[in-house]
Amino acid sequence: MATTKKEIIDVKDFKKDANNLLWTEKIDFDILEQWEIDFPKENYESEEDWIEQQEVFKVFIRDSYKSEFDKKGKRYFKNVGEIWTGELISE
């Protein structure tokens, strides 16, 4: 199996090399796992903390763009932004 060598661009050379980059947009996301939602109420500092956290989970689930189920349980994915990555194009 062939591997490709990745070259790191020095920040001071960035302007010079910017036109030689292949830019890719990626999603930056947070994950909420079912065990976090199911964390026992008695393990919270107070019932108010538990209620507050449950509301945060409810909003997270409502705003999630996908969920999946695997052997670890259900996971929810929420988009928190986009990031761009640049890969140097070989000359």
Side-chain angles (χ1 to χ4, degrees), residues 38-46 49-50:
D38 297 338
F39 196 68
K41 182 191 275 190
E42 55 272 2
N43 289 348
Y44 283 85
E45 296 269 333
S46 67
D49 288 344
W50 179 82

Side-chain angles (χ1 to χ4, degrees), residues 35-58:
W35 70 265
E36 295 174 275
I37 299 166
D38 297 338
F39 196 68
K41 182 191 275 190
E42 55 272 2
N43 289 348
Y44 283 85
E45 296 269 333
S46 67
E47 186 169 348
E48 290 79 23
D49 288 344
W50 179 82
I51 291 169
E52 183 179 311
Q53 198 62 47
Q54 292 302 309
E55 186 59 35
V56 169
F57 294 154
K58 182 178 175 182

Side-chain angles (χ1 to χ4, degrees), residues 7 9 14 20-24 26 84-89:
E7 187 175 330
I9 299 171
F14 180 74
N20 295 328
L21 296 174
L22 176 63
W23 292 98
T24 307
K26 298 184 179 184
W84 287 88
T85 59
E87 186 175 336
L88 188 61
I89 301 169

Side-chain angles (χ1 to χ4, degrees), residues 66-83:
K66 80 171 185 175
S67 63
E68 61 184 37
F69 191 82
D70 62 15
K71 62 184 176 189
K72 293 181 181 179
K74 197 163 190 177
R75 300 168 74 189
Y76 299 90
F77 297 82
K78 179 180 169 188
N79 184 352
V80 293
E82 289 80 31
I83 56 173

Side-chain angles (χ1 to χ4, degrees), residues 9-22:
I9 299 171
D10 192 325
V11 175
K12 66 183 176 200
D13 296 330
F14 180 74
K15 282 187 176 183
K16 178 182 71 155
D17 290 330
N19 292 330
N20 295 328
L21 296 174
L22 176 63

